[in-house]
Amino acid sequence: MTEQPTTHPVAIRTAAHLATIRQHWAELLLAIETPPADVWPPRQLSHTLRSTDEEPLDVDDRAPLVLREHTAPLNLDALDAGVSIERALFDCCDTLAATVQRAPFGDPRRWNYRSPTDPGSRGHGLHWAALYIEGRVLDEDTTPEQYPGIRFDAAPFAPLPEHLLHEAARVAHQCAGRLLRTLRLDQRTTPVPDRPCPWCRGELTLHTGPDEAPTVTCSTGPSCTAPVPCTPEGRRVWEWHALPALVAALGATEQREQAPPVAA
């Protein structure tokens, strides 16, 4: 029995980083058009807390960031991150295609280079670039094919040399990390400023991480009377499903504190 080739661990990690970029790209585009967010509430709750009378921000079918003007972005950090990520992935596609691409013109799997008058495959946007890199690091389409009407019987792509695999891995890792940091979705623990626990006045801490829902803990311990369970360390914890209730409780507390005193 012929042994099936195993996928290189670096290729698997690279594909995961590229999937992270694709998954959160629309969120980054939305962040460019909204003012920088405070620590609280978590960005992941924005769709839940958004006012129903606000116009939704549509990011479908938009040209790549590097191919359009940005007259008045509300979040420059998000714009800088988005432009840098796009350029890095597009340049990586150029590098990989120059070495391993064999598919003839007209093959939709090709990466087409830009010219002074044509953006080439960059015009298809970041998602296509990420999928192209993923295909190359996973050595997809590396078996010979025949094209009707074309004298061509080689593989559309050659296997990716190891040095380019590691280069693609470096680019994907850096881009995914920057995207998550910009959206505050990286692994971090952040005190919630000026918003003590509504039940005990303890310090609240927001816990976030890639590919996991945010949670909030109270510093007081089990003596806190908040109607949520405790962590193994004995701290009250608001899991994802309980966060909207915490937002509401904090809002109600803030309103009470800001209300004018009642005359005697």
Side-chain angles (χ1 to χ4, degrees), residues 31 50 61 72 98 100 110 140 146 158 179 181 193 213 226 239 242 257:
R50 192 176 178 86
D61 300 324
V100 302
R110 273 185 62 92
E140 295 177 353
Q146 291 187 345
L179 186 150
R181 288 192 301 274
E239 301 285 355
E257 292 175 348

Side-chain angles (χ1 to χ4, degrees), residues 152-204:
F152 182 86
D153 59 0
F157 301 95
L160 194 65
E162 187 155 351
H163 73 281
L164 287 182
L165 170 61
H166 287 281
E167 172 62 14
R170 180 190 66 80
V171 171
H173 179 265
Q174 290 182 348
C175 289
R178 182 164 186 184
L179 186 150
L180 292 173
R181 288 192 301 274
T182 301
L183 295 176
R184 294 180 180 170
L185 298 178
D186 55 332
Q187 197 76 44
R188 66 172 69 186
T189 298
T190 311
V192 178
D194 304 320
R195 288 179 174 86
C197 175
W199 287 269
C200 69
R201 310 301 291 175
E203 182 182 62
L204 297 178

Side-chain angles (χ1 to χ4, degrees), residues 37-52:
D38 294 328
V39 171
W40 186 262
R43 182 181 294 277
Q44 296 96 319
L45 285 177
S46 59
H47 69 286
T48 303
L49 305 176
R50 192 176 178 86
S51 173
T52 55

Side-chain angles (χ1 to χ4, degrees), residues 13 27 97 109 159 185 227 236 252:
R13 290 196 298 271
E27 194 171 350
R109 294 168 294 186
L185 298 178
R236 296 292 175 184

Side-chain angles (χ1 to χ4, degrees), residues 3-259:
E3 236 181 79
Q4 293 294 327
T6 57
T7 304
H8 199 296
V10 174
I12 295 174
R13 290 196 298 271
T14 303
H17 289 316
L18 293 167
T20 295
I21 295 169
R22 296 198 310 273
Q23 177 185 352
H24 295 291
W25 187 245
E27 194 171 350
L28 183 68
L29 296 182
L30 292 176
I32 293 171
E33 301 189 14
T34 54
D38 294 328
V39 171
W40 186 262
R43 182 181 294 277
Q44 296 96 319
L45 285 177
S46 59
H47 69 286
T48 303
L49 305 176
R50 192 176 178 86
S51 173
T52 55
D53 57 0
E54 289 185 53
E55 288 293 327
L57 294 175
D58 183 13
V59 296
D60 292 338
D61 300 324
R62 292 194 178 180
L65 296 172
V66 297
L67 300 181
R68 54 189 169 100
E69 294 183 357
H70 308 277
T71 52
L74 296 177
N75 189 330
L76 284 174
D77 286 342
L79 176 60
D80 288 344
V83 170
S84 296
I85 291 169
E86 275 191 351
R87 284 177 177 159
L89 292 190
F90 292 162
D91 289 348
C92 184
C93 288
D94 285 347
T95 299
L96 302 186
T99 300
V100 302
Q101 185 163 269
R102 303 289 183 267
F105 288 104
D107 189 318
R109 294 168 294 186
R110 273 185 62 92
W111 177 263
N112 296 310
Y113 303 110
R114 63 180 172 178
S115 72
T117 58
D118 186 347
S121 292
R122 295 179 183 227
H124 298 316
L126 176 132
H127 280 266
W128 167 233
L131 289 172
Y132 182 87
I133 297 171
E134 180 180 314
R136 305 296 68 77
V137 301
L138 296 177
D139 282 338
E140 295 177 353
D141 302 315
T142 54
T143 55
E145 298 182 12
Q146 291 187 345
Y147 292 79
I150 299 177
R151 296 184 60 186
F152 182 86
D153 59 0
F157 301 95
L160 194 65
E162 187 155 351
H163 73 281
L164 287 182
L165 170 61
H166 287 281
E167 172 62 14
R170 180 190 66 80
V171 171
H173 179 265
Q174 290 182 348
C175 289
R178 182 164 186 184
L179 186 150
L180 292 173
R181 288 192 301 274
T182 301
L183 295 176
R184 294 180 180 170
L185 298 178
D186 55 332
Q187 197 76 44
R188 66 172 69 186
T189 298
T190 311
V192 178
D194 304 320
R195 288 179 174 86
C197 175
W199 287 269
C200 69
R201 310 301 291 175
E203 182 182 62
L204 297 178
T205 301
L206 174 65
H207 307 269
T208 59
D211 303 320
E212 62 185 53
T215 61
V216 173
T217 55
C218 174
S219 63
T220 298
S223 61
C224 172
T225 58
V228 291
C230 288
T231 66
E233 296 76 26
R235 295 189 172 186
R236 296 292 175 184
V237 58
W238 287 263
E239 301 285 355
W240 170 249
H241 66 277
L243 286 181
L246 177 59
V247 172
L250 288 169
T253 300
E254 186 176 7
Q255 285 184 348
R256 287 196 300 270
E257 292 175 348
Q258 293 178 351

